Amino acid sequence: MFPVRTGLIIWVSDVKAARNLEKYGSLHYISRKMHYAVLYVNAEFAEETMKNIKRLPYVKKIERSYRNELKTEFSGQFEEKTRFYGM
C-alpha cells in the first residue's frame, strides 16, 4: 500500500542550496547549525538517487539511515524497575 522509504542524511556546504533537494524526495529537515539535511526517498530508487545527489556541488557526504534496520519490537522479559526508583 505505502512504498518502502529510506532516509538519507546529506551533509551540505550551503544550507540555502539544500532546499533544492526537494526534487529528489521528501525533504524532512534541514539543520542550519550542523549543515545537514534529512531526505526520504523510495528504497528501490535510493542508489540511483544517491548517485545524482553526489554530483551536486554543495554536497559533501551522504549517509544512509539505519532506522529501517533497527529492531523496534521489544520483548517483555525484563521486569519493570521504575517502582524501585520512585520517590
Side-chain angles (χ1 to χ4, degrees), residues 8-65:
L8 300 176
I9 294 88
I10 304 166
W11 298 92
V12 295
S13 58
D14 186 13
V15 177
K16 277 190 175 181
R19 289 188 224 153
N20 294 331
L21 293 171
E22 276 189 339
K23 62 183 174 184
Y24 295 101
S26 297
L27 188 59
H28 181 70
Y29 179 73
I30 298 176
S31 172
R32 296 186 188 283
K33 185 177 180 182
M34 295 183 65
H35 297 281
Y36 74 90
V38 178
L39 183 75
Y40 285 98
V41 297
N42 288 344
E44 57 192 36
F45 303 120
E47 292 298 322
E48 181 181 329
T49 305
M50 286 174 66
K51 286 180 191 175
N52 291 336
I53 293 174
K54 280 183 185 177
R55 294 181 186 151
L56 298 173
Y58 54 88
V59 173
K60 291 181 182 176
K61 180 171 75 170
I62 300 176
E63 296 177 6
R64 184 168 258 194
S65 174

Side-chain angles (χ1 to χ4, degrees), residues 72-87:
T72 57
E73 298 172 3
F74 304 104
S75 63
Q77 66 185 4
F78 300 108
E79 65 179 63
E80 186 177 341
K81 295 183 180 179
T82 55
R83 62 183 169 162
F84 296 117
Y85 300 115
M87 294 192 164

